[in-house]
Structures are given as structure tokens and as C-alpha cells.
């Protein structure tokens, strides 16, 4: 024991047979480099009121650039009403929530936010979490754990947060081929009407921008007596007459048991939520560790989110302008010969098909053209499907779109990337 008295301990001394902890972390990082999927985050500072402009800092320099890949899809993070709501709530109630809801109660702006969300989706209740990721992980796992012998049936392209929810449920799972209702039906049929079943899927898949056959999935859920859970993260605020997502646009919200969404994308703030029947949400509230044992969303964030939701319930201007500019971006880039992948939504994926070139294209756009579009590589998309994922907003005007097309063409030529016909033929 004497040898480990603090006075005798020499932290620089190592022994041959000592466990070298550091090495494992270095190897893990080296592997990412070797697979060309080590992530580098750009140092950015958005400029409120000048969306989509931002300041990019690198190598001691600070430059103004245009962001082309933000998930603040409608620029609501800089909307005057949303900023004012946040400032007012922080001024009146302070910055933090003061603890978990169990300890500190539910701050009043959070109560209002949950009412607003229930109303948005036409549901009995809403329950807010600290992020969309946490809402999926906590809600899917808790719902499935509370159902006896539940079979989770999950779309193969579901987001990582839904996959975590499925894993944590420790229930049996079956994966159905992406948007393949025939495959889904065969799984439901085998499981039978008697068994508890939870179908989990998304409305808009964010990497390809495609949309699930929600009506057909709801039909099957009714036929085989299954519960349905939809992630509308990439659709809330942007689709439907009040921004209730694709389920609202298609008049299907009442046919889905749980609608999940985020406050961090079109609503411009932070947090996630589920809406549905009061009993289901009360059970999740009461049993989900990811809800119970973490500090609640602060009042200022809740108030800002409510302001954004209220604005987008009433205003069509942002939705219309976003669809117009997304359509124009697709047309201009396609006309320039770039391999724009077909998508019926606001998401504009441009295929690169190589991880190193995808990263190089992103670097070149930023360094030479002042345009920020992050590379999307494996495992976010399959190998060979690496891409630039472009998200036009209402504030990317026609001149900005034309500049993007010119910059992309220069980058495509410099890196000898396949143009539209070659790339999409090989897809
Ligand atoms: C489909 C989907 N669900 C959930 C999330 C997580 O949402 P949040 O960013 O609010 O944690 C994301 C994040 O990008 C997502 O793409």
C-alpha cells in the first residue's frame, strides 16, 4: 500500500504489461481515417437576420459564407417572433429548467408547448423531451416494453434514434424493406392479429427525401391490429396546411397512434416530442428513463418553440417559398448536368458516389466558393451512394441558387466527378 501513497506515484512511469487505454482510442480513430469517414465539424457562426449567411473560422481566418445544408429548414431560428419569445422568457424566468420535471415541476412554457403540439397533430396530448433523438429512443423502447411479447416492425432506413429505441426495448424485431408494404404485410400476417405489434417508420426520409406510403401502412395496421409510430422530424412545420407534417397534408394523422417530431429543425429551436392518446403518453412519461431522469427543456426554449409553431400554423409564406426555391434548385442543378437524385420533397441530394471525392467536393466548395455543404458518407448512406445533401430554404434566392450551380460545376470538373447521365445510370 505504501507504494501508491501520492508522494511516491509517478504518472509518467509505465510498465510493459500495463493496460494501454490510450491505444484503443487511437486505433478506433485511425480506423475511421482509414475508412475515410472521420468527421470534421466546420466552425460556424450563423448571422441572425441574414439567413443563410454565416461566419466560417479556419486557420486563424474568419470568412462570410453561405450555408446550403441547414436543417433550420425555414430559417425560423432567426425569426423575430421566435427570438423575442426566447429573450422574454429568459428575462422573466431565467435560463435553465432547474431540474427534472419530477424535481422542479413542469415550467409553464413547457405546458403551453405540449398543448400546442397536441393541437398541431390533432391528438389528445403531447410530451416534450430534450431532443428528437431522445424522444425516439425513450418512446419506442418504453411503448414496446409495456406491451406483452411485442414485435417491433421497423423500416430498414429508420434513423439511428429509432434504431436505438428498438434496441433498448429488448423485444423481438423484424425489419421490413424500405417503404415495401408487401413485405410489411407478410411480417404482419406471420405475427397474426393476436400478437402486440408496433410498426415504426418515418414520413420523410432525410437522406433521399422520399415519403413513406403512410395510408397503406395505416390500412395494414388496422387490418392486422398493430400500433403505429411515425417520425415526422423532417416534415413538421413544412408540410400540411398548419405544418402538421405529411400526416396532416394527407389527412392521415388520426390513423397513426403516435406522431413524433422535433423542435430543432423547421421550428428552429431544440427538443423533441411525441403526440398521441393521453394514456399512451402518460405511460411513457411514467416509465421512460430518458424522460424522467434528465433535466427538462428550459422555459426560454419552450417559449421560442411555441412561437415558431404558432407562426407556422398560421403562415403559409415560408412553406410556399421553401417549396418554390427547392424546386428551382433541383431544376437549375439538373439543367447544369449535375446528378440530382429524384426526390418529391425539399431535400436535394446530389450524388458523388465516392467518400474521398465527397469530402474533397465539400472542402473545395467551402474553401474556394464560400459555400458550406457537408459531405454525407457511410454509414449515414450506403457505400457508393455518398452525396452532397442540399436543403434550400425560403431565403436561398434565385441569384444564390445560380451561384451554387456555377460552383458545383467547377468542383465537378476539377474532381472529374460523373455528370447527371453517367452517375444516375450507374445508380
Ligand atoms: C429522422 C430523424 N429522427 C430524429 C432525429 C433526431 O432529432 P433531433 O435532432 O431533434 O435530436 C433526426 C435528426 O436528424 C432525424 O433525422
Amino acid at each position: 500500500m505504501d507504494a501508491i501513497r501520492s508522494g511516491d506515484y509517478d504518472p509518467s512511469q509505465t510498465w510493459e504489461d500495463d493496460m494501454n487505454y490510450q491505444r484503443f482510442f487511437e486505433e478506433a480513430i485511425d480506423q475511421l481515417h482509414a475508412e475515410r469517414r472521420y468527421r470534421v465539424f466546420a466552425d460556424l457562426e450563423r448571422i441572425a437576420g441574414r439567413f443563410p449567411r454565416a461566419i466560417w473560422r479556419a486557420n486563424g481566418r474568419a470568412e462570410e459564407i453561405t450555408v446550403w445544408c441547414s436543417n433550420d429548414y425555414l430559417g425560423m431560428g432567426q425569426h423575430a417572433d421566435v427570438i423575442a419569445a426566447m429573450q422574454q422568457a429568459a428575462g422573466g424566468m431565467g435560463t435553465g429548467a432547474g431540474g427534472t420535471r419530477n424535481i422542479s415541476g413542469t415550467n409553464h412554457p413547457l405546458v403551453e408547448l405540449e398543448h400546442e403540439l397536441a393541437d398541431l397533430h390533432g391528438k389528445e396530448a403531447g410530451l416534450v423531451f430534450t431532443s428528437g433523438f431522445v424522444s425516439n429512443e425513450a418512446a419506442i423502447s418504453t411503448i414496446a416494453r409495456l406491451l406483452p411479447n411485442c414485435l417491433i416492425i421497423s423500416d430498414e432506413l429508420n434513423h439511428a434514434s429509432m434504431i436505438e429505441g428498438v434496441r433498448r426495448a429488448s423485444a423481438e424485431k423484424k425489419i421490413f424493406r424500405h417503404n415495401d408494404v408487401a413485405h410489411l404485410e407478410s411480417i404482419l400476417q406471420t405475427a397474426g392479429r393476436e400478437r402486440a405489434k408496433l410498426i415504426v417508420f418515418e414520413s420523410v426520409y432525410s437522406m433521399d427525401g422520399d415519403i413513406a406510403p403512410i395510408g397503406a401502412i395505416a390500412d395494414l395496421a388496422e387490418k392486422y391490429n398493430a400500433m403505429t409510430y411515425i417520425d415526422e422530424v423532417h416534415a413538421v412545420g413544412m408540410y400540411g396546411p398548419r405544418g402538421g407534417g405529411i400526416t396532416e397534408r394527407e389527412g392521415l394523422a388520426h390513423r397513426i397512434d403516435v406522431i413524433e417530431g422535433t423542435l430543432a429543425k423547421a421550428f428552429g429551436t431544440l427538443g423533441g416530442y411525441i403526440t398521441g392518446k393521453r394514456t399512451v403518453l402518460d405511460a411513457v412519461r411514467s416509465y421512460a428513463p430518458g424522460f424522467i431522469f434528465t433535466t427538462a427543456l428550459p422555459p426560454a426554449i419552450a417559449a421560442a418553440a411555441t412561437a415558431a409553431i404558432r407562426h407556422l400554423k398560421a403562415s403559409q409564406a415560408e412553406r410556399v417559398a421553401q417549396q418554390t426555391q427547392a424546386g428551382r434548385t433541383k431544376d437549375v442543378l439538373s439543367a447544369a448536368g449535375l446528378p440530382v437524385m429524384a426526390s418529391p420533397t425539399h431535400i436535394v441530394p446530389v450524388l458523388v458516389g465516392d467518400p474521398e471525392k465527397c469530402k474533397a467536393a465539400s472542402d473545395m466548395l467551402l474553401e474556394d466558393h464560400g459555400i458550406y455543404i457537408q459531405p454525407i458518407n457511410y454509414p449515414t448512406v450506403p457505400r457508393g451512394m455518398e452525396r452532397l445533401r442540399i436543403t434550400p430554404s425560403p431565403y436561398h434566392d434565385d441569384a444564390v441558387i445560380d451561384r451554387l450551380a456555377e460552383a458545383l460545376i467547377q468542383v465537378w470538373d476539377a474532381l472529374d466527378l460523373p455528370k447527371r447521365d453517367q452517375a444516375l445510370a450507374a445508380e
Side-chain angles (χ1 to χ4, degrees):
M1 287 303 284
D2 279 356
I4 56 167
R5 278 202 321 258
S6 58
D8 301 332
Y9 172 63
D10 175 3
S12 66
Q13 187 169 1
T14 54
W15 283 266
E16 278 297 300
D17 56 352
D18 258 7
M19 163 66 81
N20 182 349
Y21 289 100
Q22 189 67 12
R23 182 166 62 89
F24 293 97
F25 301 109
E26 284 165 3
E27 281 173 7
I29 297 293
D30 287 348
Q31 189 178 340
L32 294 179
H33 281 296
E35 292 174 8
R36 304 287 178 261
R37 55 192 190 94
Y38 180 75
R39 293 172 201 258
V40 180
F41 300 147
D43 178 350
L44 297 178
E45 182 182 317
R46 303 202 295 158
I47 309 167
R50 295 190 47 216
F51 196 96
R53 301 290 281 168
I55 295 164
W56 170 54
R57 288 193 172 77
N59 311 319
R61 293 194 339 247
E63 276 172 38
E64 220 182 283
I65 54 131
T66 301
V67 177
W68 265 105
C69 55
S70 175
N71 281 345
D72 184 354
Y73 288 125
L74 302 177
M76 290 304 288
Q78 300 180 15
H79 192 283
D81 293 355
V82 179
I83 295 174
M86 185 176 276
Q87 286 172 335
Q88 209 178 344
M93 290 171 249
T95 53
T100 67
R101 298 208 206 182
N102 210 26
I103 290 172
S104 290
T106 295
N107 63 70
H108 188 64
L110 210 34
V111 174
E112 288 185 318
L113 173 59
E114 287 176 342
H115 283 142
E116 204 65 50
L117 290 165
D119 172 75
L120 177 67
H121 295 293
K123 298 288 182 194
E124 286 177 9
L127 189 67
V128 168
F129 300 76
T130 44
S131 75
F133 189 103
V134 173
S135 63
N136 274 333
E137 187 266 345
I140 294 171
S141 61
T142 305
I143 292 169
R145 268 192 289 119
L146 292 175
L147 294 169
N149 188 28
C150 181
L151 175 67
I152 307 180
I153 312 175
S154 176
D155 187 286
E156 70 174 327
L157 291 191
N158 276 341
H159 186 255
S161 55
M162 304 172 82
I163 295 170
E164 278 308 307
V166 173
R167 281 204 189 119
R168 283 200 118 256
S170 309
E172 189 188 351
K173 67 156 196 256
K174 293 255 189 259
I175 310 294
F176 65 99
R177 284 189 294 276
H178 180 52
N179 284 347
D180 185 338
V181 282
H183 190 209
L184 171 62
E185 178 156 26
S186 74
I187 296 170
L188 287 164
Q189 211 163 28
T190 308
R193 271 189 67 84
E194 304 308 314
R195 183 168 183 190
K197 297 168 293 302
L198 179 67
I199 306 173
V200 292
F201 64 114
E202 300 181 25
S203 62
V204 172
Y205 287 85
S206 72
M207 290 302 142
D208 293 329
D210 58 334
I211 298 177
I214 304 172
I217 293 176
D219 289 344
L220 289 178
E222 272 166 33
K223 183 170 171 192
Y224 293 97
N225 188 29
M227 259 186 92
T228 43
Y229 180 107
I230 195 167
D231 174 313
E232 284 254 47
V233 158
H234 293 278
V236 288
M238 289 176 291
Y239 296 90
R242 298 194 316 152
I246 303 287
T247 47
E248 186 196 25
R249 186 184 78 178
E250 297 182 3
L252 295 168
H254 65 288
R255 298 188 62 203
I256 301 295
D257 292 299
V258 179
I259 299 180
E260 184 269 351
T262 185
L263 306 169
K265 301 193 194 294
F267 296 134
T269 55
L270 183 74
Y273 65 88
I274 54 171
T275 61
K277 285 223 159 55
R278 195 165 283 115
T279 339
V280 177
L281 268 63
D282 199 20
V284 174
R285 184 187 72 86
S286 308
Y287 282 93
F291 175 82
I292 300 168
F293 300 108
T294 189
T295 298
L297 211 62
I301 293 179
T306 300
I309 297 164
R310 282 187 185 150
H311 178 87
L312 290 174
K313 275 179 180 171
S315 169
Q316 303 303 324
E318 293 80 6
R319 281 189 280 279
V320 170
Q322 189 208 25
Q323 289 299 324
T324 307
Q325 295 315 91
R328 186 170 191 278
T329 306
K330 288 176 194 172
D331 291 347
V332 170
L333 301 191
S334 298
L338 292 157
V340 178
M341 297 163 72
S343 125
T345 59
H346 58 281
I347 292 162
V348 185
V350 180
L351 188 65
V352 177
D354 177 284
E356 272 174 84
K357 287 190 172 180
C358 197
K359 172 83 172 73
S362 171
D363 289 347
M364 212 175 263
L365 282 167
L366 189 54
E367 283 156 21
D368 302 345
H369 302 275
I371 287 173
Y372 177 58
I373 310 174
Q374 98 280 27
I376 307 277
N377 284 351
Y378 175 84
T380 309
V381 292
R383 291 185 207 276
M385 296 300 286
E386 294 82 3
R387 67 195 67 176
L388 298 177
R389 174 182 178 272
I390 297 170
T391 55
S393 77
Y395 303 101
H396 290 86
D397 64 24
D398 292 359
V400 170
I401 294 172
D402 293 343
R403 270 202 296 283
L404 171 70
E406 284 160 24
L408 283 171
I409 286 298
Q410 285 183 30
V411 167
W412 246 247
D413 288 343
L415 294 173
D416 197 22
L417 289 171
K419 291 282 176 51
R420 187 169 172 75
D421 296 339
Q422 298 158 277
L424 298 181
E427 199 189 320

